[in-house]
Amino acid sequence: MVDIEQSVDIDYDYSLDRDTTTLSRHVLQQLQSFSPDAQDLSALMSRIALAGKMIARRLTRAGLVEDALGFTGRQNVQGEDVKRMDVFANQVFISVFKQSGLVCRLASEEMEEPYYIPENCPLGRYTLLYDPIDGSSNVDINLNVGSIFAIRRQEGEDLDRKATDLFQDGHKQIAAGYILYGPSTVLVYSIGNGVHAFTLDPSLGEFILAAENIQIPTHGPVYSVNEGNFWQWNDSIRDYLRYMHRHEGYASRYSGALVGDFHRILFQGGVFLYPGTTKKPDGKLRLLYETAPLAYLAEQAGGSASDGTTPMMDIVPKELHQRVPLFIGSRENVELVESFIKEQKRSEFEASHD
Ligand code: P6P
């Protein structure tokens, strides 16, 4: 048996090793295992990457492809106008898991009930929870949008199709991440061993490792919130915004797409907040496929996330499309917002007990 080291002079080529560190390889490297579970996770992430590539391809040509943009004329379970891209992306995630034997159920912002892939049920051991296009109002004006995903193990065969095993807290997520469709397409994910970012190389058609073990700065300058809702917030949030307006060192950034705003905070630090409003006391964002997956990433990256009082990862969903207020980002920035909320609760308590 000829030892390849002897026959070929192999200098370590960093760029070659980087370009071959695909997502599926990275998953197995992190787990240091080739067990069936590890192989499952690797395969799951590969299929999510394929979905990301297909959606990115459609988005880059959306202005040129007939009927790619605009509205379908229908509303989704959230009462939101459904864009053609929402429908396309929703279907892409279903299609990439067909004939996989991996995922039996998919739960999405765009579907009132989970979708069960016939050939994968009940043997499919995993559930994909996803927002296929987050920030879809940005699609028609060519601004960044994203896909958010989480993977949970399916517990039991769910023969009554009530998916009750999904109504558990965020610690039941075994993987979570997002795909950001921006100037480049970036996939950020964690399987519980840190947060890692991959950039799509269109010439290779592969997501290539770009950053490992990303850590959110403990404090950052950015606060990301729709200040147009100021009139609908309670006093604690208004007091927090006044604090931001009156202290040096803060900058307001808000894109209208959660994924892009979170991605900025992941790298630069700060806080994203979507508080409850008078019209939507529980806020606008959905727990199972938006805030819980991002909370998983935030905590893996040394940051934090809550609904203002309870850690997001501890919140138990009561129904599939449950909304929650969201405060997420750098630990110190989140704590500052929470301190305003705590102060208001304290003064309300004292007022009611005087
Ligand atoms: P508003 C997009 O519709 C979304 O779900 C998030 O991506 C985004 O952060 C938020 O809603 C924007 O909502 O009320 O500020 O337009």
Side-chain angles (χ1 to χ4, degrees):
M1 167 77 167
V2 175
D3 178 349
I4 187 141
E5 295 283 340
Q6 294 165 349
S7 63
V8 177
D9 177 19
I10 295 180
D11 291 327
Y12 177 70
D13 179 338
Y14 168 75
S15 62
L16 182 61
D17 202 49
R18 181 204 56 197
D19 286 356
T20 51
T21 305
T22 59
L23 192 55
S24 51
R25 168 177 155 182
H26 191 260
V27 169
L28 296 173
Q29 274 174 209
Q30 282 184 72
L31 296 173
Q32 288 297 302
S33 160
F34 299 113
S35 69
D37 281 0
Q39 297 284 0
D40 279 356
L41 261 181
S42 180
L44 286 161
M45 291 308 303
S46 289
R47 288 182 186 245
I48 287 172
L50 174 59
K53 288 184 249 184
M54 291 178 69
I55 294 167
R57 182 179 66 176
R58 179 92 170 198
L59 284 167
T60 50
R61 298 185 313 178
L64 306 172
V65 173
E66 195 63 32
D67 291 341
L69 297 175
F71 292 90
T72 59
R74 298 199 314 274
Q75 290 203 327
N76 63 17
V77 63
Q78 326 292 341
E80 294 165 344
D81 293 334
V82 176
K83 286 183 168 291
R84 290 190 182 93
M85 193 57 77
D86 290 322
V87 174
F88 172 79
N90 191 67
Q91 188 55 47
V92 164
F93 278 97
I94 294 172
S95 300
V96 298
F97 281 107
K98 285 182 174 175
Q99 297 302 327
S100 67
L102 288 166
V103 170
C104 165
R105 276 176 322 199
L106 295 94
S108 152
E109 173 187 330
E110 298 304 327
M111 301 187 290
E112 185 152 6
E113 301 299 333
Y115 177 81
Y116 293 73
I117 301 180
E119 69 273 17
N120 291 352
C121 295
L123 76 158
R125 296 172 298 285
Y126 304 94
T127 299
L128 180 76
L129 300 110
Y130 65 114
D131 180 1
I133 294 284
D134 167 70
S136 55
S137 57
N138 282 356
V139 168
D140 292 356
I141 51 172
N142 197 32
L143 291 182
N144 70 265
V145 293
S147 301
I148 307 173
F149 63 87
I151 298 170
R152 295 181 179 224
R153 288 185 195 290
Q154 177 167 329
E155 296 178 6
E157 294 194 337
D158 187 19
L159 297 176
D160 63 4
R161 298 206 164 183
K162 293 191 185 309
T164 48
D165 61 299
L166 290 180
F167 304 144
Q168 299 185 71
D169 67 37
H171 298 283
K172 284 291 185 179
Q173 296 172 114
I174 60 169
Y178 59 83
I179 302 158
L180 175 60
Y181 310 100
S184 63
T185 298
V186 175
L187 187 151
V188 175
Y189 89 110
S190 177
I191 55 174
N193 298 28
V195 177
H196 317 287
F198 285 72
T199 299
L200 180 62
D201 179 338
S203 65
L204 273 177
E206 282 289 354
F207 281 100
I208 302 301
L209 182 61
E212 276 192 305
N213 299 314
I214 300 163
Q215 288 293 300
I216 298 184
T218 51
H219 178 82
V222 171
Y223 66 98
S224 186
V225 65
N226 181 348
E227 298 202 40
N229 291 331
F230 188 93
W231 62 282
Q232 293 193 69
W233 291 331
N234 65 34
D235 289 341
S236 62
I237 305 299
R238 292 182 181 184
D239 289 344
Y240 168 72
L241 262 293
R242 292 186 187 105
Y243 182 96
M244 290 290 104
H245 297 160
R246 293 167 184 164
H247 288 77
E248 192 177 357
Y250 292 102
S252 174
R253 295 286 185 274
Y254 193 74
S255 75
L258 171 60
V259 171
D261 291 328
F262 178 78
H263 190 71
R264 177 190 292 111
I265 285 165
L266 182 66
F267 284 89
Q268 297 176 355
V271 60
F272 174 95
L273 49 154
Y274 204 107
T277 63
T278 44
K279 286 184 180 177
K280 292 177 178 163
D282 291 328
K284 176 180 182 184
L285 304 174
R286 274 69 52 146
L287 174 57
L288 270 168
Y289 42 78
E290 288 180 316
T291 64
L294 295 186
Y296 183 93
L297 293 177
E299 291 199 357
Q300 282 289 319
S304 64
S306 77
D307 66 355
T309 51
T310 305
M312 192 58 68
M313 288 287 280
D314 295 344
I315 299 177
V316 178
K318 296 180 184 61
E319 57 97 14
L320 197 61
H321 302 288
Q322 178 175 330
R323 298 175 193 267
V324 286
L326 175 65
F327 303 86
I328 189 169
S330 299
R331 194 164 289 284
E332 289 180 7
N333 296 68
V334 172
E335 282 167 1
L336 179 61
V337 191
E338 290 172 344
S339 69
F340 281 85
I341 294 169
K342 200 173 294 179
E343 176 53 30
Q344 181 181 354
K345 286 185 185 301
R346 190 186 60 77
S347 50
E348 284 170 353
F349 177 82
E350 285 175 356
S352 65
H353 287 75
D354 283 346

